Amino acid sequence: MKRLFTIIAVALSVSVANAQSGVQSVLNQLLGSGATNNTVTSIIENVVGGAISKLDLSIDGTWKYTAPEVQFKSDNLLAQAGGAAATTKIETTLSKIYGKIGINESLSYTFNSDSTFTQTIKIGSSVKNLKGTYSLDKENKIITLKYSALGKVGLGKINAIYANTGTSLALLFDASEMMSFLKKVVSAVNSVSGKASLATVAAMLDNYDGALIGYKMKK
């Protein structure tokens, strides 16, 4: 019996270690090596404020796009990029070109309590409902979206930091990961204007290393 308890304890410790390693891997993907929960908290507080960032609020329901959201991965990068002025400049530029890659008032997410979601996106005249499952790391405020294939194109999964006030929800993606995902979607709907707009976004972001890009939504 003692041996059985030892085996269980070892198995649990390995499981916890693997989970922690997985979370750190996602943080590193989003924010770079050495990223911590404190970094995520700082970013979320910039979006929604300190008090709200500590609340565990549900994301269930339908959320509709309202505006671009940009944050930098560290205070140092923010300073190097010129502070709030750089953020405003990127957001203003993104608002002008987001629409051509399906990020506009037609964009919405519906999150269900059974961990499924539907993302509605319109690129040109093509409206697509992207479906999949999601999981939340509530402690680190990370959402993982796992997409079903869109036609013959496998969309895979993408991670984001989420900031939720209960009536507004912001999703922040690593810029390169976001661009890669959008390229798959644009390719699947064969949008020439979408490809050109993606190239414009990519060229702009080359000037701001270390950016997280995404959008705000409301119920």
Side-chain angles (χ1 to χ4, degrees):
M1 181 65 71
K2 182 178 180 181
R3 183 184 177 191
L4 175 61
F5 283 134
T6 301
I7 292 173
I8 292 174
V10 170
L12 286 174
S13 65
V14 170
S15 176
V16 170
N18 287 341
Q20 291 174 337
S21 175
V23 169
Q24 188 60 50
S25 175
V26 173
L27 283 174
N28 289 345
Q29 179 191 46
L30 285 168
L31 303 172
S33 61
T36 67
N37 179 259
N38 289 335
T39 312
V40 176
T41 299
S42 177
I43 290 169
I44 294 173
E45 288 179 353
N46 286 340
V47 180
V48 298
I52 296 176
S53 71
K54 296 175 176 62
L55 299 179
D56 177 17
L57 300 170
S58 171
I59 68 167
D60 289 1
T62 297
W63 304 86
K64 296 184 177 181
Y65 170 85
T66 57
E69 179 67 31
V70 174
Q71 293 291 326
F72 287 92
K73 297 181 182 182
S74 74
D75 291 337
N76 288 336
L77 285 168
L78 182 60
Q80 292 170 15
T87 301
T88 301
K89 181 179 179 180
I90 298 173
E91 289 176 348
T92 300
T93 305
L94 282 177
S95 68
K96 295 176 181 178
I97 56 181
Y98 256 3
K100 294 180 181 179
I101 51 178
I103 303 175
N104 51 34
E105 64 277 358
S106 66
L107 174 69
S108 68
Y109 287 78
T110 297
F111 294 105
N112 304 308
S113 57
D114 63 356
S115 297
T116 60
F117 76 93
T118 299
Q119 178 184 346
T120 299
I121 187 168
K122 181 179 181 181
I123 302 177
S125 60
S126 180
V127 178
K128 297 295 181 182
N129 290 318
L130 312 181
K131 296 180 180 292
T133 60
Y134 72 94
S135 59
L136 298 176
D137 174 358
K138 294 183 178 181
E139 181 179 354
N140 294 286
K141 302 298 183 184
I142 295 171
I143 183 170
T144 298
L145 303 171
K146 296 182 179 180
Y147 288 85
S148 304
L150 179 55
K152 296 181 180 180
V153 178
L155 299 179
K157 70 178 181 179
I158 187 169
N159 298 300
I161 294 171
Y162 70 95
N164 183 15
T165 70
T167 57
S168 67
L169 175 67
L171 299 181
L172 289 163
F173 306 87
D174 171 77
S176 61
E177 291 291 318
M178 178 68 152
M179 289 295 100
S180 177
F181 172 75
L182 288 173
K183 283 179 182 177
K184 293 178 182 178
V185 177
V186 167
S187 175
V189 301
N190 196 27
S191 170
V192 175
S193 63
K195 292 176 182 177
S197 297
L198 277 175
T200 302
V201 175
M204 176 190 66
L205 291 174
D206 281 343
N207 297 318
Y208 302 99
D209 185 36
L212 293 166
I213 65 169
Y215 29 82
K216 291 181 180 178
M217 300 178 287
K218 67 179 180 180
K219 281 188 173 180

